Coordinates of all heavy atoms in Angstrom, one line a residue:
Q929 N 33.2 3.5 -12.8 CA 34.1 3.4 -11.6 C 33.6 2.3 -10.7 O 34.4 1.5 -10.1 CB 34.1 4.7 -10.8 CG 34.9 5.8 -11.5 CD 34.7 7.2 -10.9 OE1 34.1 7.3 -9.8 NE2 35.1 8.2 -11.6
L930 N 32.3 2.1 -10.6 CA 31.7 1.1 -9.8 C 32.1 -0.3 -10.4 O 32.4 -1.2 -9.6 CB 30.2 1.2 -9.7 CG 29.6 2.2 -8.7 CD1 28.1 2.3 -8.9 CD2 29.9 1.8 -7.3
S931 N 32.0 -0.4 -11.7 CA 32.3 -1.7 -12.3 C 33.8 -2.1 -12.4 O 34.1 -3.2 -12.5 CB 31.8 -1.7 -13.8 OG 32.6 -0.9 -14.6
E932 N 34.7 -1.0 -12.3 CA 36.1 -1.2 -12.4 C 36.6 -1.6 -13.8 O 37.7 -2.0 -14.0 CB 36.6 -2.2 -11.3 CG 36.4 -1.7 -9.9 CD 37.0 -2.6 -8.9 OE1 37.1 -3.8 -9.1 OE2 37.4 -2.0 -7.8
Y933 N 35.7 -1.6 -14.8 CA 36.0 -1.8 -16.2 C 36.4 -0.5 -16.9 O 35.9 0.5 -16.5 CB 34.9 -2.5 -16.9 CG 34.7 -4.0 -16.6 CD1 33.7 -4.4 -15.6 CD2 35.4 -5.0 -17.3 CE1 33.5 -5.7 -15.3 CE2 35.1 -6.3 -17.0 CZ 34.2 -6.7 -16.0 OH 34.0 -8.0 -15.7
S934 N 37.1 -0.6 -18.0 CA 37.4 0.5 -18.8 C 36.2 0.7 -19.8 O 35.3 -0.1 -19.9 CB 38.6 0.3 -19.7 OG 38.4 -0.7 -20.6
Y935 N 36.2 1.9 -20.4 CA 35.1 2.2 -21.4 C 35.0 1.1 -22.4 O 33.9 0.6 -22.7 CB 35.3 3.6 -22.0 CG 34.3 3.9 -23.1 CD1 33.1 4.5 -22.8 CD2 34.6 3.6 -24.4 CE1 32.1 4.8 -23.8 CE2 33.6 3.9 -25.4 CZ 32.4 4.5 -25.1 OH 31.5 4.8 -26.1
K936 N 36.1 0.8 -23.0 CA 36.2 -0.2 -24.1 C 35.7 -1.6 -23.6 O 35.0 -2.3 -24.3 CB 37.6 -0.3 -24.7 CG 37.7 -1.1 -25.9 CD 39.1 -1.1 -26.5 CE 39.3 -1.9 -27.7 NZ 40.6 -1.9 -28.3
E937 N 36.1 -2.0 -22.4 CA 35.8 -3.3 -21.9 C 34.2 -3.4 -21.7 O 33.6 -4.4 -22.0 CB 36.5 -3.5 -20.6 CG 38.0 -3.8 -20.7 CD 38.7 -3.8 -19.4 OE1 38.3 -3.1 -18.5 OE2 39.8 -4.6 -19.4
L938 N 33.6 -2.3 -21.1 CA 32.2 -2.3 -20.9 C 31.4 -2.4 -22.2 O 30.4 -3.1 -22.2 CB 31.8 -1.1 -20.1 CG 31.9 -1.1 -18.6 CD1 31.5 0.2 -18.0 CD2 31.1 -2.2 -17.9
M939 N 31.9 -1.7 -23.2 CA 31.2 -1.7 -24.5 C 31.2 -3.1 -25.2 O 30.5 -3.3 -26.1 CB 31.7 -0.6 -25.4 CG 31.5 0.8 -24.9 SD 29.7 1.2 -24.7 CE 29.1 1.1 -26.4
N940 N 32.1 -4.0 -24.7 CA 32.3 -5.3 -25.3 C 31.7 -6.4 -24.4 O 32.0 -7.6 -24.8 CB 33.7 -5.5 -25.6 CG 34.2 -4.7 -26.9 OD1 33.8 -5.0 -28.0 ND2 35.0 -3.7 -26.6
I941 N 31.0 -6.1 -23.3 CA 30.4 -7.1 -22.5 C 29.0 -6.8 -22.3 O 28.5 -5.7 -22.5 CB 31.1 -7.3 -21.2 CG1 31.0 -6.0 -20.3 CG2 32.6 -7.7 -21.3 CD1 31.5 -6.2 -18.9
S942 N 28.2 -7.8 -21.9 CA 26.8 -7.6 -21.6 C 26.7 -7.2 -20.1 O 27.5 -7.5 -19.3 CB 26.0 -8.9 -21.8 OG 24.8 -8.9 -21.2
A943 N 25.6 -6.4 -19.8 CA 25.4 -6.0 -18.5 C 25.2 -7.2 -17.5 O 25.4 -7.1 -16.3 CB 24.1 -5.1 -18.4
L944 N 24.7 -8.3 -18.1 CA 24.5 -9.5 -17.3 C 25.8 -10.1 -16.7 O 25.8 -10.8 -15.7 CB 23.9 -10.6 -18.2 CG 22.5 -10.3 -18.8 CD1 22.1 -11.4 -19.8 CD2 21.5 -10.1 -17.8
E945 N 27.0 -9.7 -17.4 CA 28.2 -10.2 -16.9 C 28.6 -9.6 -15.5 O 29.6 -10.0 -14.9 CB 29.3 -9.9 -17.9 CG 29.2 -10.6 -19.2 CD 29.1 -12.2 -19.1 OE1 30.0 -12.7 -18.3 OE2 28.2 -12.8 -19.7
L946 N 27.9 -8.5 -15.1 CA 28.2 -7.8 -13.9 C 27.5 -8.4 -12.7 O 27.5 -7.8 -11.6 CB 27.9 -6.3 -14.0 CG 28.6 -5.6 -15.1 CD1 28.1 -4.2 -15.3 CD2 30.1 -5.6 -14.9
F947 N 26.8 -9.5 -12.9 CA 26.0 -10.1 -11.8 C 26.5 -11.6 -11.6 O 26.9 -12.2 -12.6 CB 24.5 -10.0 -12.1 CG 24.1 -8.6 -12.2 CD1 24.0 -8.0 -13.5 CD2 23.7 -7.8 -11.1 CE1 23.6 -6.7 -13.7 CE2 23.3 -6.5 -11.3 CZ 23.2 -6.0 -12.5
S948 N 26.3 -12.1 -10.4 CA 26.7 -13.5 -10.1 C 25.9 -14.4 -11.0 O 24.8 -14.1 -11.4 CB 26.6 -13.8 -8.6 OG 25.2 -13.5 -8.2
K949 N 26.4 -15.7 -11.1 CA 25.7 -16.7 -11.9 C 24.2 -16.9 -11.5 O 23.3 -17.0 -12.3 CB 26.4 -18.0 -11.9 CG 27.8 -17.9 -12.6 CD 28.5 -19.3 -12.6 CE 29.8 -19.3 -13.3 NZ 30.5 -20.6 -13.3
E950 N 24.0 -17.0 -10.2 CA 22.7 -17.2 -9.7 C 21.7 -16.0 -9.9 O 20.5 -16.2 -9.9 CB 22.7 -17.6 -8.2 CG 23.4 -16.6 -7.3 CD 24.9 -16.8 -7.1 OE1 25.5 -17.5 -8.0 OE2 25.4 -16.3 -6.1
N951 N 22.3 -14.8 -10.1 CA 21.5 -13.7 -10.3 C 21.2 -13.3 -11.8 O 20.4 -12.5 -12.1 CB 22.1 -12.4 -9.6 CG 21.8 -12.5 -8.1 OD1 20.9 -13.1 -7.7 ND2 22.7 -11.9 -7.3
K952 N 22.0 -13.9 -12.7 CA 21.9 -13.6 -14.1 C 20.5 -13.8 -14.7 O 19.9 -13.0 -15.4 CB 22.9 -14.3 -14.9 CG 24.3 -13.7 -14.9 CD 25.3 -14.5 -15.8 CE 26.7 -13.9 -15.7 NZ 27.7 -14.7 -16.5
E953 N 19.9 -15.0 -14.3 CA 18.6 -15.3 -14.8 C 17.6 -14.4 -14.3 O 16.6 -14.0 -14.9 CB 18.2 -16.8 -14.4 CG 19.0 -17.8 -15.1 CD 18.9 -17.7 -16.7 OE1 17.7 -17.5 -17.1 OE2 19.9 -17.9 -17.4
K954 N 17.8 -13.9 -13.0 CA 16.8 -13.0 -12.4 C 16.9 -11.6 -13.1 O 15.8 -11.0 -13.4 CB 17.2 -12.8 -10.9 CG 16.2 -11.9 -10.2 CD 14.8 -12.5 -10.2 CE 13.8 -11.6 -9.5 NZ 12.4 -12.1 -9.6
I955 N 18.1 -11.2 -13.5 CA 18.2 -9.9 -14.2 C 17.6 -10.1 -15.6 O 16.9 -9.1 -16.1 CB 19.7 -9.6 -14.4 CG1 20.4 -9.4 -13.0 CG2 19.8 -8.3 -15.2 CD1 19.7 -8.4 -12.1
K956 N 17.7 -11.2 -16.3 CA 17.0 -11.4 -17.5 C 15.5 -11.3 -17.4 O 14.8 -10.7 -18.2 CB 17.4 -12.8 -18.1 CG 18.8 -13.0 -18.7 CD 19.0 -14.4 -19.2 CE 20.4 -14.6 -19.7 NZ 20.6 -15.9 -20.2
E957 N 15.0 -11.9 -16.3 CA 13.6 -11.8 -16.0 C 13.1 -10.4 -15.8 O 12.1 -9.9 -16.2 CB 13.2 -12.6 -14.7 CG 13.3 -14.1 -14.9 CD 13.0 -14.9 -13.6 OE1 12.4 -14.3 -12.7 OE2 13.4 -16.0 -13.5
L958 N 14.0 -9.6 -15.1 CA 13.7 -8.2 -14.8 C 13.6 -7.4 -16.1 O 12.7 -6.6 -16.3 CB 14.8 -7.6 -13.9 CG 14.8 -8.0 -12.5 CD1 15.9 -7.2 -11.7 CD2 13.5 -7.7 -11.8
I959 N 14.5 -7.7 -17.1 CA 14.5 -7.0 -18.4 C 13.2 -7.3 -19.1 O 12.5 -6.4 -19.7 CB 15.7 -7.4 -19.2 CG1 17.0 -6.8 -18.6 CG2 15.5 -6.9 -20.7 CD1 18.3 -7.3 -19.3
T960 N 12.7 -8.6 -19.0 CA 11.5 -9.0 -19.6 C 10.3 -8.2 -19.0 O 9.4 -7.7 -19.6 CB 11.2 -10.5 -19.5 OG1 12.3 -11.2 -20.1 CG2 10.0 -10.9 -20.2
Q961 N 10.4 -8.1 -17.6 CA 9.3 -7.4 -16.9 C 9.3 -5.9 -17.3 O 8.2 -5.3 -17.4 CB 9.5 -7.6 -15.4 CG 9.2 -9.0 -14.9 CD 9.4 -9.1 -13.4 OE1 9.1 -8.2 -12.6 NE2 10.0 -10.2 -12.9
V962 N 10.5 -5.3 -17.4 CA 10.5 -3.9 -17.8 C 9.9 -3.7 -19.1 O 9.2 -2.7 -19.3 CB 12.0 -3.4 -17.8 CG1 12.1 -2.0 -18.4 CG2 12.6 -3.4 -16.4
I963 N 10.1 -4.6 -20.1 CA 9.5 -4.4 -21.4 C 8.0 -4.4 -21.3 O 7.3 -3.7 -22.0 CB 10.0 -5.5 -22.4 CG1 11.5 -5.4 -22.6 CG2 9.3 -5.5 -23.7 CD1 12.2 -6.5 -23.3
K964 N 7.5 -5.2 -20.4 CA 6.0 -5.3 -20.2 C 5.5 -4.2 -19.3 O 4.5 -3.5 -19.6 CB 5.6 -6.7 -19.6 CG 5.9 -7.8 -20.5 CD 5.5 -9.1 -19.8 CE 5.8 -10.3 -20.7 NZ 5.5 -11.6 -20.0
K965 N 6.1 -4.0 -18.2 CA 5.6 -3.0 -17.2 C 6.2 -1.6 -17.2 O 5.7 -0.7 -16.5 CB 5.9 -3.6 -15.8 CG 5.2 -4.9 -15.5 CD 5.5 -5.4 -14.1 CE 4.8 -6.7 -13.7 NZ 5.2 -7.1 -12.3
K966 N 7.2 -1.4 -18.1 CA 7.8 -0.1 -18.3 C 8.9 0.2 -17.3 O 9.8 1.0 -17.5 CB 6.8 1.0 -18.4 CG 5.6 0.8 -19.4 CD 6.1 0.6 -20.8 CE 5.0 0.4 -21.7 NZ 5.4 0.0 -23.1

Side-chain angles (χ1 to χ4, degrees):
Q929 289 170 13
L930 282 171
S931 72
E932 297 183 330
Y933 284 95
S934 68
Y935 175 85
K936 188 176 180 179
E937 287 171 331
L938 277 176
M939 292 303 293
N940 286 291
I941 64 171
S942 166
L944 299 174
E945 298 300 317
L946 299 174
F947 301 94
S948 59
K949 289 182 180 179
E950 56 270 22
N951 283 331
K952 280 183 184 177
E953 290 302 318
K954 185 61 183 178
I955 300 301
K956 286 182 182 178
E957 289 177 21
L958 288 180
I959 291 174
T960 303
Q961 288 180 39
V962 169
I963 295 169
K964 292 179 181 177
K965 298 180 179 179
K966 308 302 181 188

